[in-house]
Amino acid sequence: FLGVTALTRQPNPAGAVALEEMTALEIDREHLEHVIMNKPLLLQELGRLIDERQSKAQRVTRRERVG
């Protein structure tokens, strides 16, 4: 789900590091928008996931500053 915030054009404060070899899939924004327009519940779920992950990243960042 890296880059999922591209749908909202919001900055993504989190990152990721692969611990082993992996395969990444890049989906153009236009293709993703097409899928989202045909599946409104998917957009709602992605929005929920974005909010959840941003909240978690903010909590971790705050803990690192305090700790």
Side-chain angles (χ1 to χ4, degrees):
F1 276 52
L2 289 176
V4 75
T5 54
L7 289 172
T8 62
R9 299 184 189 258
Q10 296 176 351
N12 186 353
V17 175
L19 299 177
E20 56 188 52
E21 187 174 328
M22 56 156 292
T23 300
L25 174 66
E26 181 178 355
I27 303 171
D28 292 334
R29 181 182 172 87
E30 305 84 49
H31 291 102
L32 195 51
E33 285 176 345
H34 177 76
V35 171
I36 294 298
M37 292 306 199
N38 292 311
K39 304 280 185 188
L41 291 177
L42 178 59
L43 179 59
Q44 184 178 357
E45 180 64 12
L46 286 173
R48 186 189 66 73
L49 287 170
I50 290 168
D51 290 344
E52 184 180 292
R53 289 178 180 202
Q54 285 179 337
S55 294
K56 185 175 181 178
Q58 289 170 351
R59 284 193 306 272
V60 168
T61 301
R62 272 189 241 123
R63 264 189 259 136
E64 289 175 353
R65 286 186 202 151
V66 173

